[in-house]
Amino acid sequence: SSSVMNRSEHLSCPLGFGHYNAVDICILETVVIVLLTFLIIAGNLTVIFVFHCAPLLHHYTTSYFIQTMAYADLFVGVSCLVPTLSLLHYSTGVHESLTCQVFGYIISVLKSVSMACLACISVDRYLAITKPLSYNQLVTPCRLRICIILIWIYSCLIFLPSFFGWGKPGYHGDIFEWCATSWLTNAYFTGFIVCLLYAPAAFVICFTYFHIFKICRQHTKEINDRRARFPSHEVDAAGETGHSPDRRYAMVLFRITSVFYMLWLPYIIYFLLESSRVLENPTLSFLTTWLAISNSFCNCVIYSLSNSVFRLGLRRLSETICSSC
């Protein structure tokens, strides 16, 4: 606790409610960040290893984007080691502003990659259901790799103006005092990010999943009508081999997307309010930030619970580790 008390002189404690409880709040803050850092790194390392151990997962073209998200989320966890080590050790006071800017930029880029990957996944599933005959010609491994490279380049470029003094890239819940007091958000830069990243990604996801489930619902209705008219095994077989696997897989990805936006929506709303100088609350800043960052761990949990092939790969990986031990 003495280490945390000395750190409180150099750090911003977002949950501080007064000088009397400053040490206890900083300890609570440290526990939350350390726990999230451990869970994010461990969870995404597991996802990456399972993808390498389960060849069936590579049959899905979306596995490219899922693995990209896993690597991005893993780097989020590694990046969170910066505030973790800052809270656990004494402050050196060296290049605090640069450390704060680089950390905020990296976190923003990595979450932009995740958001763009979710939008690309929805487009991929939309093409798989609406254009099943020409899907293999439209979506090739080469095009998928190019798309992933463009996602990384775009994500790096869109937050680059923050280094030239044009606002904050979106990181709140500041650990360093300089981030909280000297690096302020800018309404114009926030609008720039919303118009070029948040809004397009949300629109694409809403549009594609709306049409995906609409088509699947129509297909299910047609199958039920055929079964009512011609109750035979041929119709049942046709229904089982139709869009049912695509719909189940789309549901898995839809759950991941829904949880992503549920965890990130409070953060985006607070980001907009703070940029407009409508609301500035350190407690909300800390909670919304780390709630959004916790999504990096939630992705692997949802995927492991929803995908049977992934569970099989996880079981095989566990058996391999246990047998070697």
Side-chain angles (χ1 to χ4, degrees):
S1 63
S2 61
S3 173
V4 175
M5 185 180 296
N6 290 325
R7 288 291 297 136
S8 64
E9 298 177 359
H10 304 279
L11 297 178
S12 161
C13 292
L15 293 180
F17 299 103
H19 181 72
Y20 180 76
N21 293 325
V23 175
D24 293 335
I25 295 302
C26 283
I27 292 175
L28 176 62
E29 176 187 332
T30 304
V31 170
V32 171
I33 296 175
V34 170
L35 180 62
L36 275 179
T37 302
F38 171 77
L39 291 176
I40 291 170
I41 293 176
N44 287 284
L45 279 176
T46 303
V47 172
I48 292 170
F49 284 131
V50 168
F51 265 92
H52 284 289
C53 296
L56 288 176
L57 286 170
H58 296 283
H59 293 172
Y60 297 106
T61 55
T62 50
S63 64
Y64 287 86
F65 296 112
I66 295 292
Q67 291 182 80
T68 302
M69 288 175 57
Y71 279 108
D73 290 335
L74 175 63
F75 292 146
V76 168
V78 174
S79 300
C80 288
L81 290 174
V82 174
T84 300
L85 295 176
S86 298
L87 287 168
L88 292 177
H89 298 287
Y90 290 95
S91 175
T92 59
V94 179
H95 302 301
E96 182 179 339
S97 61
L98 180 61
T99 302
C100 180
Q101 285 182 312
V102 171
F103 177 65
Y105 174 78
I106 290 175
I107 289 290
S108 300
V109 168
L110 293 174
K111 299 318 296 179
S112 173
V113 169
S114 295
M115 192 174 295
C117 283
L118 289 172
C120 290
I121 286 173
S122 67
V123 173
D124 176 84
R125 291 298 88 197
Y126 176 78
L127 292 175
I129 290 180
T130 58
K131 300 181 183 298
L133 298 179
S134 58
Y135 173 77
N136 291 330
Q137 286 74 35
L138 291 172
V139 182
T140 62
C142 181
R143 290 179 179 177
L144 289 172
R145 294 188 184 97
I146 293 174
C147 182
I148 291 172
I149 292 173
L150 292 176
I151 287 174
W152 280 98
I153 294 175
Y154 184 78
S155 299
C156 291
L157 291 177
I158 194 174
F159 291 102
L160 202 58
S162 63
F163 277 108
F164 300 98
W166 193 29
K168 208 172 184 178
Y171 175 71
H172 299 284
D174 301 307
I175 303 303
F176 295 102
E177 184 179 358
W178 186 89
C179 292
T181 59
S182 302
W183 198 17
L184 302 178
T185 54
N186 183 288
Y188 295 104
F189 183 68
T190 302
F192 172 77
I193 297 297
V194 170
C195 293
L196 294 184
L197 178 63
Y198 296 153
F203 173 78
V204 168
I205 289 172
C206 292
F207 175 84
T208 52
Y209 278 113
F210 172 78
H211 285 84
I212 286 172
F213 291 118
K214 181 180 178 181
I215 293 170
C216 290
R217 189 164 53 248
Q218 291 175 350
H219 182 77
T220 303
K221 183 179 178 181
E222 291 175 0
I223 294 297
N224 291 333
D225 291 341
R226 290 180 184 178
R227 285 176 177 173
R229 294 180 182 178
F230 311 102
S232 63
H233 297 288
E234 289 79 6
V235 175
D236 292 339
E240 292 176 358
T241 57
H243 289 297
S244 183
D246 286 329
R247 184 179 182 180
R248 287 196 298 269
Y249 194 59
M251 281 299 300
V252 174
L253 301 174
F254 180 72
R255 292 189 193 106
I256 293 176
T257 306
S258 300
V259 171
F260 180 91
Y261 276 94
M262 281 191 293
L263 294 177
W264 272 84
L265 188 59
Y267 169 84
I268 295 173
I269 293 174
Y270 181 82
F271 184 28
L272 294 171
L273 293 176
E274 185 181 279
S275 301
S276 305
R277 303 295 183 266
V278 176
L279 176 65
E280 291 187 13
N281 188 301
T283 304
L284 288 177
S285 176
F286 179 83
L287 293 177
T288 55
T289 296
W290 292 98
L291 180 67
I293 291 178
S294 68
N295 175 257
S296 297
F297 172 69
C298 295
N299 285 340
C300 49
V301 173
I302 297 170
Y303 204 73
S304 61
L305 294 177
S306 304
N307 191 286
S308 58
V309 179
F310 185 91
R311 291 197 299 271
L312 178 61
L314 182 61
R315 189 181 306 117
R316 290 178 178 175
L317 177 64
S318 303
E319 291 174 353
T320 302
I321 294 176
C322 290
S323 61
S324 62
C325 291

